[in-house]
């Protein structure tokens, strides 16, 4: 055995945990996401000091306190802008952004879409509980039309954002969705997101037990989860149901859920998932599926394509300019012809 070979560092989940008391409500979905993030980071084995977790304002934005990494609890909605700066200045860091549906898609909406558009190599954890939790229960940009809350006592009169539409509309290269009660698949999705070079958007369907309890129960409850969700895997048939007896097919320009063996449909008719397709039309259709349309909610990695990253472009540009104009000392600048004396 060659004793000179250096082994890759190995870390456990506890290496990424801080010593801070976790101040989320008992039963909050944030606990599950935090647990999955610790596990994902241990699988990635990126050293804690090479990791930075950024956040804005909100319940989910307390997450940096619970990480034994670099962290920055910033201001409302500006987490994506700060994360962009961190990654651009220190591209060697693994950068994560913890944000909520209010923090990210309301006051932070522009920062979010432009981070996605630029394809900055950051991982955006978008915890979507369809409510403002920290400020005590106002409706958020993802709350459904008619939703009754403290700020909409007679029901909202507006339609919600769908994060997948915003991400893909901003030319997103990676979009995934997971649920807070499925720790194994959530951890796997976080690992996939971290390996993607570019902006990774992970929508986490998360429960707020105080102000919006059971908001996602129509799909995440074990009694019907298999029938109302589909876990997409690249290169695999789009199957779902208790025994994978159902599948997704194209019916003209629309997606359709069918039972294999009925109405002439066979396994050969079922679509194969391709996360790497440059054309995002099918990815968007998958992301917008819902039980009320007779389709299961898509979980897993929906889109994962390769495009140039922002920070690599900036670094390359700097190198190109420096090659043409070598870096000089301050004295060199002071001794140029462009000087004047103030009297």
């Amino acid at each position: 055995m060659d004793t000179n070979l250096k082994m890759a560092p190995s870390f456990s989940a506890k290496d990424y945990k801080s010593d801070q008391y976790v101040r989320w409500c008992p039963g909050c979905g944030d606990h599950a996401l935090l647990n999955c993030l610790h596990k994902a980071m241990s699988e990635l084995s990126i050293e804690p000091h090479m990791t930075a977790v950024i956040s804005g304002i909100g319940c989910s934005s307390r997450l940096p306190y619970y990480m034994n990494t670099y962290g920055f609890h910033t201001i409302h909605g500006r987490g994506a802008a700060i994360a962009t700066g961190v990654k651009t200045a220190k591209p060697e860091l693994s950068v994560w952004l913890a944000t909520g549906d209010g923090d990210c898609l309301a006051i932070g909406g522009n920062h979010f879409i432009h981070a996605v558009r630029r394809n900055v190599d950051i991982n955006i954890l978008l915890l979507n509980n369809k409510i403002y939790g920290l400020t005590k229960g106002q409706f958020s940009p993802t709350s459904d039309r008619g939703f009754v809350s403290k700020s909409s006592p007679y029901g909202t009169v507006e339609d919600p954002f769908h994060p997948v539409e915003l991400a893909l509309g901003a030319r997103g290269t990676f979009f995934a969705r997971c649920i807070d009660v499925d720790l194994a698949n959530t951890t796997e999705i976080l690992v996939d997101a971290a390996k993607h070079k570019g902006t990774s958007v992970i929508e986490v369907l998360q429960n707020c037990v105080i102000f919006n309890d059971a908001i996602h129960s129509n799909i995440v409850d074990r009694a019907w989860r298999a029938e109302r969700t589909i876990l997409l895997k690249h290169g695999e048939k789009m199957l779902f149901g208790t025994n994978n007896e159902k599948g997704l097919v194209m019916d003209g320009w629309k997606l359709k859920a069918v039972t294999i063996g009925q109405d002439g449909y066979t396994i050969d008719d079922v679509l194969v998932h391709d996360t790497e397709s440059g054309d995002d039309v099918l990815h968007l259709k998958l992301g917008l599926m819902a039980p009320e349309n007779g389709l299961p909610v898509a979980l897993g990695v929906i889109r994962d394509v390769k495009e140039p990253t922002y920070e690599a472009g900036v670094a390359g540009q700097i190198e190109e300019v420096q090659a043409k104009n070598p870096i000089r000392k301050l004295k060199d600048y002071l001794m140029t012809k462009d000087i004047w004396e103030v009297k």
Side-chain angles (χ1 to χ4, degrees), residues 70-85:
Y70 286 111
F72 193 171
H73 190 178
T74 73
I75 55 178
H76 205 188
R78 273 61 180 184
I82 302 299
T84 296

Side-chain angles (χ1 to χ4, degrees), residues 24-178:
W24 286 319
C25 302
C28 173
D30 289 350
H31 289 279
L33 188 277
L34 177 65
N35 181 282
C36 292
L37 185 57
H38 289 149
K39 290 181 178 179
M41 288 185 172
S42 69
E43 289 188 29
L44 293 164
S45 284
I46 298 174
E47 295 177 285
H49 77 273
M50 295 300 293
T51 305
V53 181
I54 316 299
S55 69
I57 295 296
C59 293
S60 60
S61 291
R62 293 193 59 83
L63 193 143
Y65 292 103
Y66 312 133
M67 303 297 301
N68 182 34
T69 65
Y70 286 111
F72 193 171
H73 190 178
T74 73
I75 55 178
H76 205 188
R78 273 61 180 184
I82 302 299
T84 296
V86 171
K87 187 64 181 183
T88 306
K90 299 286 287 183
E92 66 273 20
L93 293 180
S94 174
V95 180
W96 299 76
L97 170 63
T99 184
D101 45 298
D103 178 62
C104 185
L105 304 181
I107 190 170
N110 273 341
H111 294 299
F112 170 73
I113 62 173
H114 290 298
V116 174
R117 175 182 65 84
R118 293 177 175 123
N119 202 32
V120 188
D121 189 17
I122 60 176
N123 309 298
I124 301 177
L125 304 173
L126 173 50
L127 286 92
N128 185 5
N129 53 22
K130 298 188 176 186
I131 196 76
Y132 279 98
L134 189 67
T135 49
K136 308 301 184 285
Q138 300 88 347
F139 73 91
S140 86
T142 59
S143 298
D144 298 319
R145 176 180 282 272
F147 180 74
V148 175
S149 71
K150 291 182 177 180
S151 57
S152 56
Y154 305 105
T156 63
V157 293
E158 56 193 62
D159 290 319
F161 271 143
H162 296 292
V164 66
E165 279 186 308
L166 286 176
L168 299 193
R171 306 183 61 151
T173 57
F174 185 102
F175 185 88
R177 184 184 292 129
C178 56

Side-chain angles (χ1 to χ4, degrees), residues 254-267:
K254 297 181 179 180
L255 284 170
K256 179 181 179 180
V258 301
T259 299
I260 299 169
Q262 293 184 10
D263 301 320
Y265 288 104
T266 69
I267 188 68

